[in-house]
Amino acid sequence: MSRSDPAVIRIKPYHYIHILDNNKNVTRVEFGPQTFTRQDHEQLVSGPDAMIMIPPRHYCIIQNPVARDEEGHVVRDNLGQIKIKHGDEEIRFEQEPFPLYPGEKLYGKVSPLQVVAPNTALRLRCIRDFKDGKVSRVAGDEWLFEGPGTYIPRVELQVVEIVKAIIIKPNQALRLRARKEFTDKSGVKRRAGEEWLVREVGAFLPSVEEEVVQTISAYVLTDKKAIHLQATKTFTDVFGKERKAGEEWLVTIDDAETHIPDVYENVIGEVKITTLTSRQYAVILDPVGDDGKPQMGRRVLKKGEATFFLRPGERLESGIQSVHVLDSDEALLLRARESFKDGDKSRSPGDRWMIYGPSDYVPPVEVEILEKRKAIALDENEGIYVRDLKNGRVRAVSGETYMLSPYEELWEKDLPQVVEELLAKERQSGPDSRGHTATVQATAGRSKTKLVTYRTPHNAAVQIYDYKAKKARVVFGPELVMLGPDEHFTVLSLSGDKPKRPHVIKSLHLFLGPDFMTDIVIVETADHARLSLKLSYNWSFEINKETDSEKIFSVPDFVGDSCKAIASRVRGAVAAVSFDHFHKHSAEIIRRAVFGVDEGDKIRNRFAFSANNLVITNVDIQSVEPVDQRTRDALQKSVQLAIEITTKSQEASAKHEAERREQEARGRLERQKISDEAEAEKARKDLLELQAQSATVEASGQATAEARARAAAAAIEGEAAVKQAQLQAEASKIRAQADLEQTRAKQDAEISHQKALNDLEIEKARDLSGIEAKKFKDVVDAIGADTIQSIAQAGPEMQAKLLQGLGLQGFLITDGNSPINLFNTAGGLISGANTNLGQ
């Protein structure tokens, strides 16, 4: 028994307590209103607690409910203990207030009954077998409790979720899938996994056997738009037509204004209408026949004005095409795909013919347009290459307006890459000043079907070779060269650079001269001095254009051959003479070696090559440089010695001329000096006379000036002394006043500063005292007078309670170090004990 349990318990109305009888170990319930007197063997387990009140349209869940008999009375065992259903639950609705018997627990709190709104349902699941009216429910069954209505809960049921109705709008449908085999609301038997559409507009509440897959919106069809569908399974569509699996078709506005795809219809895409104007046409490949099946391999021509949808499998050949409009100089090259009747003519497959303008033309499906041709206007200097398809012959056409025939085509003439580069360079910049054209890396665009032309420069020649006739012809400039189908240019590969290197210059024409070329030749003299000669040759071709035209092209590289021949002659001539002799007579030696001498030992003026009629007319020595370092040093020393001798002779002549001029200048100077001294003596005489006169004047005026100056100086000194004394007095006065003002200002500033500091200190002290007072007042107000009193009494009262709990009348605490007088204490304790005994 706990000392804290009250002996008398007052139970209010609609309250109860649990009392444990320790003798029987049975707990009973006592209801109010009453005053309950607890016995010694009884113990208050809980309470007083308020009874559970369930208002109308509410319920609560009781765990471990008591067992009741058929009349609703609580069932007790033999010992009087109330029987409870352990682990069970009971749902109680609106009733009189009731207590919780020992072992019962309130799960959650009293809750209102759930109201199911319209277009809403509760998905219920059976967790225990029970009989719902005439329907037997088995654990695991699920069904819907549809609103509007109030759901009365049962312990055998579990609310899985709240199901809301789906609103099906116009032009919408709901795609459903069966969870298991059942019969839907329309009476149709559904199999597990089957899908179907609900098209009725309004609210639809799916049952537990139905699963909502998605909401499908309808496709709006217009005059310009249709949808392309494909059947995924054999079925009958909404239009009553049977569709085979894999079949494709179009739904247009002629079928319906809107279309919702069925579950077995796959939307491939939207198809736009094809519109043809009066100047357009189209060819449909693999058209769909009247039976809805594609006619593979067929072609259908559609002429404008027309509008149509391309059905599944159909496609346009080259898209929408415009009617071919031909000008007076245009034509269409046609070829028959198959046999057909073209007016009065019968066309066989492969026939070629042309339609000439001016006209417009739409080809039938049996005709193929190969190309559109235009008459080619050619000047006298322009042309094209034309190839006959029947015999393969190629000819050049120029100087007329030409239209190809049905069995003719433009032929492309291919040229070697080097010729292409040279022609491109000539078109861009023209030939250089010497008539040669340098090699370029990239060729400019050239129409290979046009006649190849080349402008031969003035005083130049071009060789053209006809490989079919095996003949060559030479064209002299200025002239325009036009190549035939079997003709090609002869490309010249000439030496260039210094010294000459082969195949440096590529050219289509040969310049006839006169011109020059430069070469560097290494020679060696009789005394083994190696020299580098830079020689320049003037050359030209001397030919008869009627008889010797082909002779100039007989030597492929006339530059390299002529330079080698001249270099060999020069080397032989220089090898027979010494360095000093060659240094003095280099020009004569080289000219004699190149041109040779006649019968009278006279140097000729030309050197001719009979192979190609090349003539060297002059040789110019531009530089002579020793190759060997020792020879170069000896030559440099000799040149320096000659320069020194010339310089010294020039210095001697210049020195003699300078001495002569110096003597002449010195004589003139002496004569000028004598005349100047005479003039100076005359001027000195005049000066002495003037000095004597000025001395007299100076002596008389100096005394007067000195006396006046002394008097003026004394007066000035006196005035200056007086002025200085006045200024010093004023300065002293100003300095004293300034010091006085500064001292006064400093004192005033210190006083003001100190006063301001004092005021701040006073204000700070006042504010601090006010803050402390307000803080203390707020603390006292916050704690309260009763709290302060309780705090003050808390110490003694706590000590008294502690002593009472320990059974002590008093206590003494010491640290063991301080001495305590216990004589009086003992006397007090003895007297207190005697007093207690007397009582």
Side-chain angles (χ1 to χ4, degrees), residues 382-385 411 413 446-453:
E382 297 177 333
I384 56 174
Y385 297 106
W411 181 74
K413 181 176 178 62
R446 177 184 70 87
S447 178
K448 295 185 178 181
T449 59
K450 290 186 178 181
L451 207 63
V452 178
T453 60

Side-chain angles (χ1 to χ4, degrees), residues 100 198-199 321 404 433 507 608 610 662 722 781 787 828 831:
L100 291 178
V198 177
R199 303 174 185 266
Q321 305 179 56
L404 295 175
S433 60
S507 178
S610 59
E662 185 180 359
V722 173
D781 293 341
T787 306
S831 61

Side-chain angles (χ1 to χ4, degrees), residues 304-600:
E305 300 174 352
T307 56
F308 58 93
F309 288 104
L310 284 177
R311 298 183 182 181
E314 294 180 342
R315 52 194 175 90
L316 295 181
E317 183 183 40
S318 303
I320 298 176
Q321 305 179 56
S322 299
V323 175
H324 297 276
V325 179
L326 303 177
D327 201 354
S328 58
D329 59 345
E330 293 178 336
L332 288 177
L333 178 60
L334 308 178
R335 182 172 60 188
R337 297 175 183 269
E338 56 187 79
S339 300
F340 74 101
K341 194 78 172 176
D342 183 12
D344 298 335
K345 297 181 180 180
S346 297
R347 303 290 185 184
S348 300
D351 284 352
R352 297 163 66 106
W353 71 98
M354 296 181 68
I355 298 294
Y356 298 92
S359 65
D360 56 4
Y361 181 72
V362 177
V365 294
E366 299 86 3
V367 176
E368 175 187 5
I369 298 178
L370 296 180
E371 63 178 352
K372 185 178 182 179
R373 289 181 174 179
K374 187 178 180 67
I376 304 173
L378 302 174
D379 194 8
E380 294 181 355
N381 297 331
E382 297 177 333
I384 56 174
Y385 297 106
V386 178
R387 179 173 179 267
D388 193 325
L389 296 177
K390 292 183 177 180
N391 53 30
R393 294 179 181 176
V394 180
R395 59 190 178 93
V397 179
S398 62
E400 61 176 306
T401 300
Y402 188 76
M403 173 69 78
L404 295 175
S405 67
Y407 289 94
E408 287 182 344
E409 66 176 1
L410 293 176
W411 181 74
E412 293 185 354
K413 181 176 178 62
D414 292 324
L415 297 176
Q417 182 65 24
V418 62
V419 177
E420 292 280 7
E421 293 175 354
L422 294 174
L423 290 177
K425 182 66 176 178
E426 192 271 338
R427 284 194 298 271
Q428 293 175 2
S429 59
D432 59 17
S433 60
R434 298 189 181 184
H436 299 147
T437 306
T439 304
V440 293
Q441 296 298 326
T443 60
R446 177 184 70 87
S447 178
K448 295 185 178 181
T449 59
K450 290 186 178 181
L451 207 63
V452 178
T453 60
Y454 182 75
R455 294 180 177 85
T456 306
H458 176 71
N459 200 24
V462 175
Q463 186 181 41
I464 301 166
Y465 186 79
D466 190 337
Y467 285 89
K468 186 175 182 180
K470 297 182 180 181
K471 293 182 180 180
R473 60 188 177 97
V474 179
V475 179
F476 294 93
E479 183 65 41
L480 181 67
V481 178
M482 303 176 71
L483 290 185
D486 301 310
E487 291 182 335
H488 284 274
F489 290 105
T490 298
V491 181
L492 299 176
S493 180
L494 305 178
S495 299
D497 211 346
K498 303 171 188 176
K500 287 292 181 284
R501 294 183 298 106
H503 310 297
V504 174
I505 299 174
K506 303 290 184 181
S507 178
L508 296 179
H509 61 268
L510 179 63
F511 191 57
L512 301 179
D515 202 349
F516 69 94
M517 52 187 173
T518 304
D519 192 14
I520 296 177
V521 182
I522 304 299
V523 299
E524 185 175 356
T525 60
D527 48 0
H528 304 291
R530 292 174 57 83
L531 302 176
S532 174
L533 306 181
K534 187 176 182 180
L535 306 178
S536 179
Y537 317 122
N538 291 346
W539 59 269
S540 64
F541 285 97
E542 294 182 355
I543 60 171
N544 185 351
K545 293 182 179 181
E546 296 181 356
T547 59
D548 300 334
S549 59
E550 297 180 359
K551 195 174 184 180
I552 58 176
F553 290 94
S554 59
V555 179
D557 186 6
F558 76 94
V559 175
D561 291 349
S562 59
C563 288
K564 289 178 182 178
I566 296 173
S568 64
R569 291 192 173 196
V570 171
R571 290 191 190 96
V574 174
V577 298
S578 63
F579 172 72
D580 291 336
H581 181 73
F582 176 75
H583 186 64
K584 295 177 182 179
H585 307 91
S586 59
E588 181 182 356
I589 293 172
I590 291 175
R591 289 179 62 85
R592 181 182 293 272
V594 174
F595 298 120
V597 295
D598 55 9
E599 293 79 1

Side-chain angles (χ1 to χ4, degrees), residues 153-224:
R154 297 178 60 115
V155 294
E156 297 88 354
L157 300 180
Q158 177 185 4
V159 178
V160 179
E161 62 177 347
I162 298 175
V163 180
K164 294 183 179 180
I166 300 174
I167 306 301
I168 303 176
K169 300 178 183 179
N171 294 331
Q172 282 187 345
L174 203 61
R175 185 170 183 174
L176 303 179
R177 181 187 296 125
R179 299 177 184 269
K180 61 180 181 178
E181 187 174 350
F182 77 107
T183 302
D184 62 8
K185 298 176 182 179
S186 302
V188 180
K189 192 173 183 180
R190 304 293 183 183
R191 296 182 179 180
E194 181 182 354
E195 294 185 359
W196 68 97
L197 294 183
V198 177
R199 303 174 185 266
E200 290 79 6
V201 176
F204 178 78
L205 195 63
S207 65
V208 295
E209 296 86 2
E210 296 172 337
E211 177 185 359
V212 178
V213 179
Q214 63 178 349
T215 300
I216 301 176
S217 298
Y219 286 86
V220 179
L221 305 177
T222 63
D223 295 337
K224 299 180 180 179

